[in-house]
């Protein structure tokens, strides 16, 4: 009788695992399409970018349909917890604070951030040299955490925005003196454009783990362990078979996106 119970228990466990694994025929992916070249829209309104193509490649590896859900950045994790989507694949850094709420895969890229200001501002990147200046940052981002923790405490005016492209609009209008942003994003979204010609980097690349974490990963709810396992394997697979490099070369050729 005891052996029979063990066999039944084992069969139930296997069946439960199979049911769980089959749940991921579709993966709903949250994106903030205001973060070129990682996530943005084509002229006809379709989402594209490095994050979007990576998300699609990962879904292909686990044989799931990829459905993209647009979400404002500072509401990303609350939306995940409310089950509006299953993952966040939108350049979200793996930080200790976020790990208390959600799970992450291993990283799928890792680039530093830097401070960008007008070229006529004499600054070495220190808080003291930026005192009184207006610096725009994306709400809920690691850059906002850094700016509030290291700059606003020394007299820098740190102003949060719902989207990074709104930061650039206010820089253009003269309401802001600069921003703190990912180097790849700010290069493609601002510095390489005509609006960014009078702006440049100051200070060293920003990599402090207490603010910027361990790289960029895929976020998911803590209970979705089978999805995490499948996506971790998928990241390793697209790195090994050349898919990751092909996508990186499409959007940021010649840049070391994998990082440290």
């Amino acid at each position: 009788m005891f052996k029979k119970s063990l066999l039944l228990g084992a069969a139930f466990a296997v069946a439960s695992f199979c049911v769980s694994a089959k749940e991921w025929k579709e993966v709903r992916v949250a994106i903030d399409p205001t973060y070129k070249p990682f996530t943005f829209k084509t002229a006809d309104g379709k989402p594209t970018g490095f994050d979007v193509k990576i998300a699609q490649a990962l879904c292909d590896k686990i044989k799931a349909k990829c459905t993209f859900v647009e979400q404002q950045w500072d509401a990303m994790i609350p939306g995940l917890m409310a089950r509006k989507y299953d993952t966040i694949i939108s350049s979200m850094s793996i930080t200790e604070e976020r790990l208390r709420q959600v799970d992450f895969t291993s990283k799928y890229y890792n680039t530093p951030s830097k401070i960008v200001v007008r070229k006529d501002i004499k600054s070495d990147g220190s808080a003291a040299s930026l005192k009184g200046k207006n610096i725009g940052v994306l709400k809920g981002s690691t850059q906002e955490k850094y700016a509030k923790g290291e700059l606003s405490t020394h007299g820098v005016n740190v102003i949060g925005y719902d989207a990074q492209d709104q930061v650039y609009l206010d820089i253009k209008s003269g309401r802001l003196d600069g921003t703190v942003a990912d180097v790849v994003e700010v290069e493609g979204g601002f510095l390489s454009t005509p609006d960014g010609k009078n702006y440049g980097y100051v200070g060293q690349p920003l990599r402090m783990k207490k603010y910027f974490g361990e790289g960029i990963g895929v976020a998911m709810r803590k209970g979705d362990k089978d999805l995490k396992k499948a996506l971790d394997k998928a990241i390793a697979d697209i790195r090994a078979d050349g898919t990751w490099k092909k996508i990186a070369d499409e959007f940021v050729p010649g840049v070391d996106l994998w990082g440290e």
Side-chain angles (χ1 to χ4, degrees), residues 112-116 143 146 179-183 186 201-206 212:
S113 291
K114 288 194 79 171
I115 299 170
V116 172
Q143 292 82 13
Y146 163 79
T179 185
V180 183
D182 177 275
V183 294
V186 75
Y201 299 119
V202 294
Q204 298 300 308
L206 305 172
F212 297 100

Side-chain angles (χ1 to χ4, degrees), residues 82-138:
R83 297 185 175 273
K84 292 181 179 179
Y85 32 81
D86 308 303
T87 62
I88 301 168
I89 307 181
S90 196
S91 292
M92 181 167 279
S93 299
I94 306 165
T95 65
E96 288 186 8
E97 181 181 0
R98 288 169 178 159
L99 281 166
R100 289 194 284 270
Q101 303 176 73
V102 299
D103 268 346
F104 279 92
T105 61
S106 56
K107 74 169 188 179
Y108 65 91
Y109 84 88
N110 188 15
T111 52
S113 291
K114 288 194 79 171
I115 299 170
V116 172
V117 295
R118 281 197 327 273
K119 290 178 180 178
D120 64 345
I121 295 173
K122 304 301 181 185
S123 172
D124 59 4
S126 66
S129 68
L130 292 169
K131 185 176 181 180
K133 298 297 184 286
N134 298 317
I135 300 297
V137 289
L138 179 64

Side-chain angles (χ1 to χ4, degrees), residues 3 11-12 25 34 49 72-73 81 90 110-111 157 169 176 199 201 216 233 237 255:
K3 287 183 179 179
F12 179 77
K25 294 298 183 185
T34 65
Q72 190 170 293
W73 180 257
M81 304 307 289
S90 196
N110 188 15
T111 52
N157 301 316
L169 287 173
L176 293 174
Y199 292 79
Y201 299 119
I216 304 299
K233 183 179 184 303
D237 288 345
V255 175

